[in-house]
Amino acid sequence: MTENSQQQNPAPTTELPTQYAPAEVEGALYQRWVDRGYFTADAKSEKDPYSIVIPPPNVTGALHLGHAFQVTLMDALTRRKRMQGFETLWLPGMDHAGIATQNKVEQQLAEEGKSRHDIGREAFVEKTWQWKNEYGGRILGQLKRLGAGLDWSRERFTMDEGLSRAVQKIFKDLFDDGLIYRAERIINWCPRCLTAISDIEVDYQDDDGELVSLKYGEGDETVVVATTRVETMLGDTAVAVHPDDERYARLIGKRIKLPLTDRTIPVVADTHVDPEFGTGAVKVTPAHDPNDFAIGQRHDLETLTIMDERGVITVPGPFQGLDRFEARSAIVAALREQGRVVAEKRPYVHSVGHCSRCKTTIEPRLSLQWWVKVETLAQAAGDAVRDGRVELHPKEMERRYFDWVDNLNDWCISRQLWWGHRIPVWYGPEGQVVCVGPDEEAPGTEAEGWTQDEDVLDTWFSSGLWPFSTLGWPERTEDLAKFYPTSVLLTGHDIIFFWVVRMMMFGLYSMDGEIPFRTVALTGLVRDEFGKKMSKSNPNAVDPIDWMDAYGSDAVRFTLARGANPGADVPIGEDWVQASRNFANKIWNATRFALMNGATIEGPLPEPSQMTATDRWILSRLNKVVAEVDAYYDDYQFAKLSDSLYHFAWDEVFDWYVELSKTTFMAGGEPAKVSGRVLGEVLDVTLRLLHPVVPFVTETLWTTLTGGESVVVADWPKDSGFRDEAAEKEIETVQQVVVEVRRFKAEQGLKAGQRVPARLTLDGTALAPHEPAIRQLLKLQPAGEDFTAAATLPVAGAEVALDLSGAIDVAAERKRLAKDLAAAEKDKAQAEGKLGNEKFLSKAPDHVVDGIRARLAKADEDIARIQAQLERLPQA
């Protein structure tokens, strides 16, 4: 009824321990998978390729739940594709993480009382490589702990020899095509790390600052401007107003006095200014603000840099040598003394950028940097999604993608660091600028007056090449021919702009217009169970290794996958991991029970005519689930496929099929053999379906059940098309009877396992063959000669009469129910009284009235339920 490649395997001989102990099996299983080469891809294979490159974690990083989340989903995709017969490559690697790694080594030097400048560039880079080899890459070992089926034979590093060659090659190509240039622009500058940083490396947070309104000019020619960065006034070179603002029309083109300086500055008209905001006039500091820089460009304003790279004021005068924040207070005091401060608002809460590494406040700064001209590259990246060559999941993310890529500014790619890919540009003694490719020699020596650019490239520059540089580009390798374009990129929606777009631009440029991946599957972020962002600085941060130690890797994986709705954030709490651990235990115990009761995969499946309706029902449901899970995988609906498998395995297989089949197994004979084969088939397929998400427990159980080599290389189940709607309807009726009687027993205060005499009238219904199973599930004894029907339940065309004498104290139960009924009737009367009071209704808020209506509805439901229970009870 399902396609099963393992039918000819010998009967299993291994017995399962009574309890599943993840810590005792996970490490050994993973090493066995690696040793057997299951994760190693073959570029010479004739199988269809399926490839994914891992978003490279920082070499300084440790596994956090965000990593574990995305790695779990990528592992599920690749394990399924491997089982489907694809030549599957999941390529691992790490990013050199320029600023983060340099900070680590500088901290080590600081402990020795040194700086990088004390030992020089060459020694510092050598020391950083030593740090990387000794301490870096801890996260890769943690990924193995999680069960990630990565091809470790192809592990890459963004600064290994091959990737460094790729970086130099694309830089040279872009330079020669006029797409890389050097220019002065405003950049994000970190005064602590002493480098430009990208937008992704800036964290914005609300800080308590101050908003100070200042009076510029003298007499009738005064203008009031407001600023949160008073110290930058030393670099003002204009005041700007809107050209249509009549308040300032007389001043446009004139020069006014800049306080605390000997300078006058012009008043310029610019449409960027919002006349409705503040006073409608803004100070313009072109060297220290990106918007002001643009105004300065339009009006040919002077650019004055007023502080050095550490944020210290350099303007000659009383403020020279002060830190920017010290200068702020001193300048406000000086302006206040001159009567120039019109208003002060503090605290003034506003968004301020901070370096994501060291938390220092970012300083916008005019700086000479290297840039990528992105216009044509970004257009190509947008077109690839628009014309369908690259598909985004979920589709609603396309709008955000286009909003970004269609408005992309030129990209600052130079960093003032020593750790990273050094810019391959040399400057000559006569002002020459020469870019050197990977197979070219430097144009001259230092002795001849040639020097290499001191800066290194932004980390995102090298990681932007990741899908093809890791496969051997710029050489035309077998790996590149086989596995490029990659099949899917799975990553968080938070880096769609900073990494996904970069890879699209560079891939289309370097690979002759060929896309880097066919699909981009975007995930949300992992949050705590209350939806709050997890952070190391908050007590809600979780080390996934701790959860793996406590509950097993499968439990962590299943919890993460079950919360993975496309593009949506994922809340996770320890209770949910415990529940997933319980699921793993349920799979273990149910499979152990099945093996002890004759479950087998020996021989072909019996013909449907030899099976019970219960057998045909579970096989019909099994094939539907196979089809359902395939559809969810193809749509990257990990939460839905996990939920589907959870409910099928726990509810339908273990709680219903196994329980309904117990009487068949106990009776023995040919029916028991048939059901044993069916149960073996169902477990075989279910374990294979579960394997990509929970690989460890399924490997142990599947190899024990089937005697097969490994579920990692077993065939992925296929829907055979077998359906039996009649059997499904029949078993649904059985379930209806069992659920209804269980509910009645619970309402009467009977324990689930408490046995009561019962008479079942099932003749003429499809329920008749199931009477033994129904009695077994409901703990119903045969009706004796002294049987007295205390309650008769009509269910699904049948009747179930129960004798409750001796099972419950009828008088006490009637008394309890009567008390509950009185309380419900009192609630109803009170609610009706309030809702019938027009004066109350006219004054009460809507939410209060809605609450009372809900209370009335609840009282009506309780009354109906209690009255039904009383009617079912025998007379006392």
Side-chain angles (χ1 to χ4, degrees):
M1 304 304 119
T2 53
E3 296 190 21
N4 186 338
S5 66
Q6 308 300 325
Q7 290 176 1
Q8 303 308 314
N9 287 331
T13 57
T14 306
E15 292 186 0
L16 290 171
T18 55
Q19 289 185 324
Y20 177 50
E24 295 177 12
V25 301
E26 291 180 350
L29 278 183
Y30 187 84
Q31 192 57 49
R32 187 171 75 190
W33 293 334
V34 173
D35 291 345
R36 291 183 176 181
Y38 293 155
F39 306 142
T40 304
D42 181 3
K44 293 182 171 65
S45 167
E46 294 183 1
K47 296 178 183 178
D48 290 338
Y50 183 84
S51 57
I52 295 180
V53 290
I54 195 170
N58 287 352
V59 66
T60 61
L63 186 70
H64 58 65
L65 278 174
H67 290 133
F69 171 55
Q70 292 181 1
V71 166
T72 293
L73 304 187
M74 284 183 276
D75 196 36
L77 290 174
T78 52
R79 284 180 183 270
R80 171 176 175 254
K81 286 296 182 180
R82 190 177 294 112
M83 295 172 75
Q84 286 182 317
F86 287 79
E87 192 59 41
T88 302
L89 170 63
W90 185 20
L91 195 149
M94 292 184 298
D95 191 282
H96 65 276
I99 294 177
T101 308
Q102 179 155 319
N103 280 347
K104 291 283 187 184
V105 179
E106 288 196 272
Q107 287 167 13
Q108 281 190 342
L109 285 172
E111 292 171 5
E112 301 170 11
K114 299 177 182 177
S115 74
R116 60 182 164 122
H117 300 284
D118 293 328
I119 65 173
R121 182 172 196 141
E122 186 176 341
F124 180 81
V125 171
E126 182 180 348
K127 189 174 181 65
T128 308
W129 274 107
Q130 291 172 356
W131 184 94
K132 181 262 181 188
N133 294 331
E134 185 173 355
Y135 301 106
R138 179 163 64 108
I139 190 172
L140 297 184
Q142 294 173 326
L143 295 182
K144 296 176 183 179
R145 174 72 189 280
L146 190 65
L150 290 150
D151 183 349
W152 297 107
S153 71
R154 286 174 165 86
E155 181 185 334
R156 302 306 299 266
F157 180 56
T158 49
M159 282 182 62
D160 68 27
E161 184 178 351
L163 269 65
S164 295
R165 178 178 172 82
V167 167
Q168 195 173 356
K169 164 69 172 166
I170 194 171
F171 188 101
K172 170 71 170 173
D173 290 347
L174 290 165
F175 183 90
D176 289 347
D177 286 346
L179 296 176
I180 281 184
Y181 63 95
R182 200 177 188 214
E184 275 197 322
R185 300 276 180 82
I186 296 289
I187 45 88
N188 300 310
W189 181 265
C190 176
R192 157 61 183 79
C193 298
L194 301 180
T195 181
I197 64 175
S198 66
D199 292 339
I200 187 65
E201 293 162 323
V202 179
D203 292 336
Y204 287 91
Q205 64 185 48
D206 287 340
D207 284 0
D208 286 345
E210 58 183 349
L211 181 66
V212 183
S213 298
L214 307 174
K215 182 170 63 177
Y216 285 13
E218 302 287 355
D220 293 336
E221 296 181 351
T222 60
V223 177
V224 175
V225 298
T227 180
T228 57
R229 299 165 65 217
V230 176
E231 69 281 5
T232 62
M233 67 154 294
L234 298 176
D236 286 357
T237 55
V239 169
V241 297
H242 195 277
D244 298 332
D245 193 334
E246 295 181 358
R247 293 172 295 176
Y248 303 111
R250 58 189 173 79
L251 294 178
I252 294 173
K254 293 185 177 181
R255 302 184 69 87
I256 61 175
K257 169 74 173 175
L258 178 65
L260 304 182
T261 72
D262 295 327
R263 295 189 291 117
T264 61
I265 56 177
V267 178
V268 300
D270 196 283
T271 55
H272 170 76
V273 180
D274 181 1
E276 303 298 323
F277 183 78
T279 63
V282 296
K283 60 191 285 299
V284 182
T285 320
H288 292 275
D289 182 274
N291 292 323
D292 292 3
F293 179 78
I295 293 174
Q297 293 285 96
R298 289 193 289 271
H299 297 278
D300 197 25
L301 298 177
E302 186 180 6
T303 56
L304 300 176
T305 300
I306 64 162
M307 61 183 79
D308 66 14
E309 60 185 9
R310 297 183 183 276
V312 175
I313 300 299
T314 57
V315 177
F319 311 110
Q320 187 174 13
L322 293 180
D323 171 81
R324 54 186 168 153
F325 300 118
E326 295 172 336
R328 182 175 299 174
S329 299
I331 290 172
V332 169
L335 290 167
R336 191 184 296 117
E337 194 172 309
Q338 289 188 6
R340 294 281 183 177
V341 176
V342 177
E344 297 177 72
K345 182 178 181 180
R346 63 171 65 88
Y348 178 73
V349 179
H350 62 130
S351 181
V352 177
H354 296 260
C355 174
S356 63
R357 302 296 177 191
C358 66
K359 310 308 176 188
T360 302
T361 300
I362 291 302
E363 187 64 42
R365 187 169 189 258
L366 184 64
S367 182
L368 182 62
Q369 302 285 346
W370 286 95
W371 303 80
V372 173
K373 189 181 295 184
V374 301
E375 183 179 1
T376 57
L377 301 173
Q379 182 177 340
D383 291 344
V385 174
R386 284 192 174 92
D387 63 25
R389 282 176 290 156
V390 176
E391 187 176 9
L392 264 59
H393 275 269
K395 191 173 178 60
E396 49 266 30
M397 285 289 179
E398 285 185 0
R399 191 170 122 190
R400 291 180 61 188
Y401 177 85
F402 293 136
D403 283 346
W404 178 263
V405 79
D406 292 344
N407 297 284
L408 200 59
N409 295 318
D410 285 359
W411 172 18
C412 177
I413 56 172
S414 45
R415 298 291 179 266
Q416 289 65 55
L417 304 171
W418 287 354
W419 174 245
H421 296 282
R422 194 165 176 182
I423 290 175
V425 171
W426 271 256
Y427 306 107
E430 305 299 326
Q432 305 99 313
V433 178
V434 178
C435 181
V436 175
D439 297 314
E440 300 171 353
E441 296 290 333
T445 65
E446 285 191 26
E448 296 168 335
W450 287 88
T451 58
Q452 186 178 355
D453 196 292
E454 292 287 329
D455 290 350
V456 300
L457 289 163
D458 177 13
T459 295
W460 296 99
F461 190 94
S462 52
S463 60
L465 315 182
W466 192 249
F468 53 96
S469 64
T470 52
L471 295 173
W473 185 89
E475 273 60 61
R476 292 290 169 176
T477 63
E478 287 184 328
D479 278 359
L480 195 65
K482 178 73 174 179
F483 296 112
Y484 191 88
T486 60
S487 304
V488 62
L489 173 77
L490 189 144
T491 190
H493 63 64
D494 56 322
I495 59 172
I496 184 174
F497 315 126
F498 308 103
W499 188 44
V500 177
V501 171
R502 311 288 194 225
M503 289 187 287
M504 290 280 280
M505 291 194 301
F506 281 170
L508 291 163
Y509 173 79
S510 295
M511 298 300 294
D512 300 321
E514 198 166 17
I515 55 175
F517 24 72
R518 294 183 173 88
T519 299
V520 179
L522 296 166
T523 70
L525 307 179
V526 177
R527 298 183 177 272
D528 71 13
E529 58 194 304
F530 306 107
K532 294 181 180 178
K533 182 179 179 180
M534 287 190 176
S535 168
K536 292 179 181 178
S537 59
N538 293 333
N540 66 351
V542 172
D543 184 344
I545 298 296
D546 292 341
W547 279 355
M548 284 189 267
D549 287 342
Y551 307 112
S553 299
D554 284 334
V556 175
R557 290 170 61 111
F558 192 73
T559 305
L560 291 165
R562 204 173 176 194
N565 290 298
D569 288 346
V570 183
I572 184 172
E574 189 166 4
D575 289 350
W576 305 343
V577 185
Q578 291 173 354
S580 295
R581 185 268 317 273
N582 295 343
F583 179 51
N585 288 341
K586 181 77 171 181
I587 301 169
W588 182 273
N589 293 332
T591 304
R592 185 171 178 272
F593 168 84
L595 288 170
M596 291 189 298
N597 285 272
T600 179
I601 64 157
E602 285 189 277
L605 271 174
E607 291 298 318
S609 60
Q610 298 176 272
M611 299 178 187
T612 65
T614 307
D615 294 334
R616 298 193 305 275
W617 161 72
I618 198 63
L619 288 174
S620 182
R621 287 291 305 129
L622 177 65
N623 276 283
K624 285 184 178 179
V625 169
V626 169
E628 189 173 79
V629 167
D630 274 333
Y632 286 144
Y633 261 115
D634 292 341
D635 198 34
Y636 303 95
Q637 297 276 2
F638 296 98
K640 289 182 178 179
L641 73 88
S642 299
D643 214 46
S644 176
L645 287 170
Y646 174 89
H647 287 294
F648 175 71
W650 192 310
D651 300 345
E652 298 187 76
V653 178
F654 304 144
D655 279 359
W656 283 109
Y657 179 72
V658 169
E659 293 298 323
L660 285 169
S661 300
K662 278 183 178 179
T663 53
T664 303
F665 289 129
M666 287 188 290
E670 191 60 29
K673 291 181 180 179
V674 171
S675 291
R677 179 65 186 88
V678 170
L679 179 54
E681 179 77 8
V682 172
L683 288 175
D684 169 22
V685 173
T686 302
L687 291 170
R688 283 187 279 149
L689 289 173
L690 282 165
H691 173 73
V693 181
V694 284
F696 293 108
V697 68
T698 51
E699 171 79 342
T700 305
L701 295 174
W702 187 86
T703 52
T704 303
L705 170 70
T706 68
E709 178 187 347
S710 171
V711 70
V712 176
V713 290
D715 286 345
W716 181 252
K718 294 181 180 178
D719 174 14
S720 69
F722 175 77
R723 301 288 189 274
D724 193 326
E725 301 297 339
E728 288 194 41
K729 186 174 182 181
E730 184 172 324
I731 300 306
E732 285 173 9
T733 305
V734 174
Q735 292 172 327
Q736 185 181 349
V737 171
V738 173
V739 169
E740 186 65 27
V741 176
R742 278 178 176 168
R743 182 185 296 119
F744 175 75
K745 287 178 68 178
E747 288 174 349
Q748 305 311 315
L750 298 176
K751 295 179 180 178
Q754 190 169 347
R755 296 184 176 275
V756 296
R759 183 175 61 237
L760 278 60
T761 306
L762 308 177
D763 294 342
T765 73
L767 294 168
H770 302 283
E771 180 168 347
I774 291 172
R775 285 188 177 276
Q776 170 69 22
L777 285 166
L778 292 170
K779 311 301 181 190
L780 302 180
Q781 297 174 332
E785 292 184 3
D786 58 347
F787 178 84
T788 303
T792 300
L793 306 178
V795 186
E799 283 188 351
V800 179
L802 302 174
D803 184 351
L804 302 180
S805 58
I808 61 172
D809 184 335
V810 176
E813 185 64 14
R814 281 190 171 277
K815 185 175 181 181
R816 183 186 69 80
L817 290 173
K819 183 178 178 181
D820 290 347
L821 180 62
E825 288 174 337
K826 182 179 179 181
D827 277 351
K828 178 179 180 178
Q830 289 176 342
E832 286 179 334
K834 289 185 176 181
L835 293 174
N837 185 334
E838 293 296 334
K839 186 175 180 181
F840 170 80
L841 292 176
S842 65
K843 294 182 177 180
D846 290 345
H847 73 274
V848 172
V849 175
D850 290 342
I852 294 170
R853 290 196 178 108
R855 186 174 154 196
L856 176 60
K858 174 68 165 53
D860 282 334
E861 290 176 8
D862 289 344
I863 290 168
R865 175 180 54 80
I866 296 167
Q867 286 176 339
Q869 289 177 249
L870 284 167
E871 289 173 5
R872 290 170 177 166
L873 283 175
Q875 295 300 314

